[in-house]
């Protein structure tokens, strides 16, 4: 599902809301999650999962095309851990 499909689905299920308002709400949610992660905060959505940031240390990597060694800098990457309800639903529970 892409963002526009999510907005359309929410608008269809809530005919009392204008689509532009639904779009603003969805965009605000994504912006807030992004800003929280950028600050290093954890974002938990009960029953769905939790977003956090993990640090990957600098390391020596290998260019797959040439096989030569390259230095990979330290970086921070987003991480998502599913919540119990989502995990149970995916596994037929």
């Amino acid at each position: 599902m892409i963002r526009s499909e999510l907005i359309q689905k929410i608008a269809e299920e809530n005919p009392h809301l204008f689509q532009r308002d639904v779009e603003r709400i969805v965009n605000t949610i994504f912006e807030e999650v992004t800003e929280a992660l950028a600050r290093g905060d954890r974002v938990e959505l009960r029953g769905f999962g939790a977003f956090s940031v993990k640090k990957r240390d600098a390391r020596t990597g290998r260019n797959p095309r040439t096989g030569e060694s390259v230095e990979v800098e330290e970086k921070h990457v987003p991480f998502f851990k599913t919540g119990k309800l989502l995990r149970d639903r995916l596994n037929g529970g």
Side-chain angles (χ1 to χ4, degrees):
M1 175 179 279
I2 60 175
R3 184 185 304 227
S4 60
E5 291 171 338
L6 176 61
I7 291 168
Q8 185 63 38
K9 178 89 170 146
I10 293 171
E12 287 171 3
E13 291 181 5
N14 296 279
H16 61 285
L17 296 174
F18 291 111
Q19 182 153 346
R20 68 177 182 269
D21 293 335
V22 173
E23 188 171 346
R24 192 174 308 130
I25 291 166
V26 170
N27 288 338
T28 300
I29 291 169
F30 288 139
E31 286 170 16
E32 290 300 318
V33 169
T34 301
E35 287 177 18
L37 292 174
R39 288 191 306 267
D41 295 341
R42 182 172 183 269
V43 177
E44 183 176 334
L45 304 171
R46 296 278 172 160
F48 183 70
F51 296 92
S52 59
V53 177
K54 292 208 174 202
K55 179 182 159 206
R56 289 200 181 154
D57 293 329
R59 62 183 172 81
T60 301
R62 191 158 307 282
N63 182 331
R65 190 175 294 170
T66 65
E68 103 183 52
S69 293
V70 291
E71 292 303 313
V72 178
E73 294 180 6
E74 166 188 292
K75 59 184 161 185
H76 294 86
V77 294
F79 178 76
F80 177 73
K81 181 176 180 185
T82 58
K84 185 177 181 333
L85 291 175
L86 176 59
R87 212 171 23 254
D88 289 348
R89 188 156 183 194
L90 292 175
N91 291 304

